[in-house]
């Protein structure tokens, strides 16, 4: 995992962030089988039993990891870098290419931990519900951005855009293109081609 972000919050939430970071690092390094309460204690440098006190069950530990995953992914593109309301398609291209390039260069570990959690969610219905609910916070802003850019069907186009991004991220982080990451300019061209087909012009 690339960074542990300091949080000016309560000791409880700071402990949760520490445990979440350690859990995500273990997922990247060892996979789902390597994620145990004891391993999180060791990775985080916490006294034995600390993780169990915070998240008593495996489901609770997985939810802690998902919650931290969402927090870290939300920081890949900061609010002031998002297109303003009424911004045109070029502003959307700039923001999307910046975020995607950061994922592929500076935050590849976040993609791996996300895939581990997503796959586990396919086997745990209770985690599936939590995972989907936590991740949905990213859908609304993207749908709004597509509408601002002139999409006549922002929800459908947002889904297509997410699918394109997810496919590219998987290919470059864990698939056959893992050794050849596109430049930001190449990503810009890809987004322009995609949005041209959706928005026209």
């Amino acid at each position: 995992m690339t960074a542990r972000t300091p949080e000016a919050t309560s000791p409880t939430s700071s402990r949760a962030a520490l445990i979440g970071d350690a859990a995500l690092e273990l997922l990247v390094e060892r996979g789902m089988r390597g994620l145990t309460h004891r391993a999180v204690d060791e990775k985080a440098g916490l006294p034995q039993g600390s993780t169990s006190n915070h998240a008593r069950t495996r489901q609770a530990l997985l939810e802690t990891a998902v919650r931290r995953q969402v927090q870290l992914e939300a920081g890949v593109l900061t609010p002031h870098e998002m297109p303003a309301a009424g911004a045109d398609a070029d502003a959307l291209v700039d923001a999307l290419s910046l975020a995607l390039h950061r994922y592929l260069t500076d935050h590849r570990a976040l993609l791996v931990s996300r895939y581990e959690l997503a796959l586990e969610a396919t086997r745990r219905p209770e985690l599936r519900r939590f995972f989907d609910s936590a991740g949905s916070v990213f859908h609304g802003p993207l749908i709004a951005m597509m509408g601002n850019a002139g999409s006549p069907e922002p929800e459908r186009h947002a889904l297509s855009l997410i699918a394109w991004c997810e496919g590219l991220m998987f290919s470059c982080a864990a698939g056959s293109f893992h050794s050849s990451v596109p430049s930001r300019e190449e990503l810009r061209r890809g987004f322009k081609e995609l949005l041209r087909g959706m928005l026209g012009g």
Side-chain angles (χ1 to χ4, degrees):
M1 196 63 57
T2 54
R4 291 184 176 176
T5 55
E7 298 187 359
T9 51
S10 68
T12 301
S13 60
S14 296
R15 176 64 61 90
L18 184 63
I19 290 172
D21 285 339
L24 295 179
E25 290 173 15
L26 286 167
L27 287 173
V28 173
E29 295 170 7
R30 307 180 193 176
M32 192 58 65
R33 288 187 177 181
L35 179 63
T36 66
H37 288 76
R38 181 186 293 274
V40 172
D41 285 339
E42 294 174 355
K43 172 65 72 173
L46 294 170
Q48 186 175 338
S50 297
T51 300
S52 292
N53 287 336
H54 172 78
R56 293 192 176 279
T57 65
R58 184 161 182 81
Q59 173 67 18
L61 179 57
L62 289 169
E63 289 182 3
T64 297
V66 170
R67 197 174 292 112
R68 188 59 175 158
Q69 178 83 26
V70 171
Q71 290 172 346
L72 292 174
E73 290 204 40
V76 173
L77 193 67
T78 59
H80 78 273
E81 293 171 317
M82 300 286 284
D88 59 14
D90 285 340
L92 182 57
V93 166
D94 284 338
L96 291 173
S97 63
L98 177 60
L100 191 51
H101 191 255
R102 283 177 177 168
Y103 269 120
L104 296 177
T105 54
D106 298 329
H107 300 288
R108 292 174 73 134
L110 270 181
L111 296 176
V112 175
S113 58
R114 187 208 298 175
Y115 300 145
E116 289 285 349
L117 290 165
L119 287 172
E120 186 68 4
T122 66
R123 298 179 283 267
R124 289 176 172 265
E126 66 278 15
L127 181 62
R128 176 86 275 165
R129 289 189 292 271
F130 188 84
F131 185 90
D132 290 348
S133 176
S136 67
V137 299
F138 298 108
H139 297 167
L142 184 56
I143 291 171
M145 284 191 285
M146 290 301 297
N148 290 336
S151 168
E153 298 181 73
E155 290 191 21
R156 185 173 69 83
H157 285 159
L159 173 60
S160 296
L161 194 60
I162 290 170
W164 186 83
C165 291
E166 290 283 4
L168 190 60
M169 287 189 291
F170 183 85
S171 294
C172 292
S176 56
F177 288 91
H178 64 90
S179 61
S180 55
V181 174
S183 67
R184 188 177 172 196
E185 183 53 38
E186 289 173 322
L187 293 174
R188 281 179 54 84
R189 291 203 301 270
F191 277 118
K192 281 185 176 182
E193 292 166 352
L194 189 62
L195 290 175
R196 187 181 301 122
M198 295 178 180
L199 307 177

